[in-house]
Amino acid sequence: MMALLGALLLLPACAAHAQFGIPGFELVHNAPVETNLPNPDLRDPVTVWCEMFGAAKRAIDLEQYYVSGMTGEPLDTVIGCLDAAAKRGVKIRFLMEEKGLSASDTPTIDKLKAIPNLEFRLLAWAKVKGSGIIHAKFFIVDGKASYVGSQNFDWRALKHIDETGLRVTDAAMASQFQAIFDHDWAAAALIAAGKPVPPLRTTGYAPIEGKVFLVASPNAYDPAGIGDSQETLVKLIGQAKTEIRIEVMEYSTQSFGGGTYTVIDDALRAAAARGVKVKLLVTDWNMWPNQIPLLESLASVPNVEIKVASIPPASTGFVPYARVVHTKIMAIDGAIGWVGTSNWEGGYLDTSRNLEIVLRDAKMAGRIAALQTQLWDSPYSKPLAEAKLIPRPKTKPD
């Protein structure tokens, strides 16, 4: 695997357009500044987003958890590209989670609202589902191209956080992104009018055939033809034969809304019992006192290994809610790749709006695995037993 990683790092930047064997899908990645995690063959989100916005002719639709900017930082460039598109006559719709207001800053929201031809809506997802949030981060351009990834609409996500996403120019999949956005946009209007949002289906739906496909959560509010993220994830883990490599910010057998959640944990334990090697990489943000025993329990299972990644502070000083690995990826048997927006704990794949893409392609799966291996083998990652002795980092000002 390290030989594969080394070869990939020598590729020129333009090699990303080869899309690793799947036409219409480009892996996009950014590492925190001042870290030794180079991936010159992968383009960064600011470049990709502005290229996509620059190509827009009629419409850009964005769905995000929250908005946070800082003068002179990379999100200014992105907002400038949106503004330029709007001034060409492109209609922009921006949908944000209402609970995301607490993580957002008013000046940046006001800057968005001031863009001509931009309509801004809030949606309290919990009023749709009963719990959860809009945690997805995606957008669609002209109904033909789309982007999904771990990057929030946050200047820190573009500079101080490890993030991974996919640029999609497959028109059929873009139409599925559009169907999700259109549903959620309409749901915001219904909720604002005090009306309920009816579920789109009442039974599970998670076919896992196909070269590449989009899945989403929660199942009841996924448009026709789009599989359920949670059930799909369990089925894919159930197919694993030799190795599962995972990189997520947080992993837990609890729900962020309270209660126990063992759906993914049960699947990983069953895979390990079959002899599958499970290599789970989480972050130091996961190292709460009540979470460490849960991780230790999984790590005690034969064939399971857990490491914890920690990104050093920036030389410029403390950056709140940053300096972390926020990527959410998985690679199975060097044959299946997974890129998404969910943390792996209760409240995400079962109740919140999230999107994931599954790619059955050895080259793409290998490149995703190489991203995980790079961080796994880096000085930033330590075995769980060692990492638990290190105090959990400060994430916000005292």
Side-chain angles (χ1 to χ4, degrees):
M1 184 60 73
M2 289 308 296
L4 169 62
L5 177 60
L8 287 167
L9 294 179
L10 294 175
L11 293 174
C14 62
H17 295 287
Q19 299 162 340
F20 304 109
I22 304 182
F25 296 86
E26 178 186 351
L27 195 63
V28 179
H29 178 262
N30 60 286
V33 295
E34 301 179 348
T35 58
N36 185 25
L37 296 170
N39 284 281
D41 60 312
L42 303 181
R43 296 199 294 169
D44 68 277
V46 175
T47 299
V48 171
W49 294 0
C50 280
E51 180 182 280
M52 295 178 73
F53 297 156
K57 293 180 172 57
R58 59 175 184 83
I60 301 172
D61 294 327
L62 305 98
E63 188 162 340
Q64 302 288 324
Y65 175 30
Y66 69 94
V67 169
S68 183
M70 178 73 71
T71 301
E73 296 295 347
L75 193 65
D76 275 358
T77 301
V78 172
I79 294 174
C81 292
L82 279 177
D83 184 68
K87 289 175 179 175
R88 296 196 309 272
V90 175
K91 181 181 178 181
I92 302 173
R93 296 184 292 178
F94 199 108
L95 181 64
M96 193 183 94
E97 165 62 46
E98 187 176 277
K99 289 182 180 177
L101 286 171
S102 62
S104 302
D105 68 277
T106 301
T108 303
I109 291 178
D110 289 344
K111 187 183 294 187
L112 284 172
K113 290 180 176 179
I115 294 176
N117 292 321
L118 187 146
E119 184 178 359
F120 187 93
R121 284 185 185 177
L122 292 173
L123 171 59
W125 183 260
K127 294 181 180 179
V128 177
K129 173 64 177 172
S131 62
I133 56 175
I134 293 176
H135 190 255
K137 312 94 167 52
F138 70 99
F139 63 80
I140 311 103
V141 175
D142 293 338
K144 297 179 179 179
S146 50
Y147 184 93
V148 64
S150 60
Q151 294 95 348
N152 285 299
F153 206 78
D154 180 349
W155 72 274
R156 291 161 295 199
L158 306 174
K159 184 174 181 178
H160 288 286
I161 303 175
D162 188 281
E163 309 272 16
T164 304
L166 282 168
R167 173 178 179 259
V168 180
T169 53
D170 178 89
M173 184 173 289
S175 69
Q176 293 182 316
F177 277 90
Q178 191 70 62
I180 293 172
F181 178 89
D182 289 345
H183 170 271
D184 295 353
W185 183 259
L190 288 172
I191 294 298
K195 298 178 180 179
V197 180
L200 298 177
R201 59 187 182 221
T202 57
T203 58
Y205 179 75
I208 58 172
E209 298 77 20
K211 182 84 170 174
V212 56
F213 52 94
L214 176 68
V215 295
S217 62
N219 175 70
Y221 294 94
D222 290 343
I226 298 172
D228 172 33
S229 298
Q230 179 174 257
E231 188 176 346
T232 297
L233 180 59
V234 170
K235 285 183 176 181
L236 293 176
I237 292 172
Q239 287 190 338
K241 294 178 174 60
T242 59
E243 182 184 68
I244 303 172
R245 304 193 73 101
I246 304 160
E247 182 178 327
V248 289
M249 187 180 81
E250 292 183 349
Y251 179 94
S252 179
T253 55
Q254 297 176 339
S255 295
F256 67 72
T260 301
Y261 178 82
T262 64
V263 176
I264 303 173
D265 201 69
D266 290 344
L268 290 178
R269 288 171 183 265
R274 298 193 309 270
V276 177
K277 303 296 183 183
V278 177
K279 296 186 176 181
L280 171 62
L281 180 62
V282 298
T283 75
D284 48 8
W285 285 22
N286 206 152
M287 303 302 282
W288 293 100
N290 67 322
Q291 295 298 315
I292 293 174
L294 307 178
L295 292 169
E296 288 179 318
S297 175
L298 179 59
S300 69
V301 174
N303 295 319
V304 175
E305 186 178 0
I306 298 178
K307 281 192 173 184
V308 180
S310 181
I311 303 299
S315 63
T316 51
F318 177 68
V319 182
Y321 304 108
R323 310 305 294 176
V324 69
V325 175
H326 194 240
T327 287
K328 296 101 165 53
I329 55 175
M330 174 179 66
I332 297 176
D333 297 341
I336 299 173
W338 171 286
V339 178
T341 68
S342 296
N343 290 309
W344 286 22
E345 62 181 308
Y348 287 95
L349 292 172
D350 50 346
T351 62
S352 294
R353 172 62 85 200
N354 277 290
L355 277 64
E356 334 284 332
I357 292 181
V358 180
L359 310 110
R360 288 184 180 276
D361 179 85
K363 290 183 179 179
M364 183 65 87
R367 188 61 186 91
I368 291 168
L371 269 181
Q372 196 264 12
T373 300
Q374 179 187 37
L375 188 57
W376 181 273
D377 290 340
S378 76
Y380 306 112
S381 295
K382 299 183 183 303
L384 176 62
E386 182 178 347
K388 74 175 185 178
L389 303 176
I390 303 171
R392 188 179 185 275
K394 181 172 66 172
T395 59
K396 58 183 178 179
D398 293 328

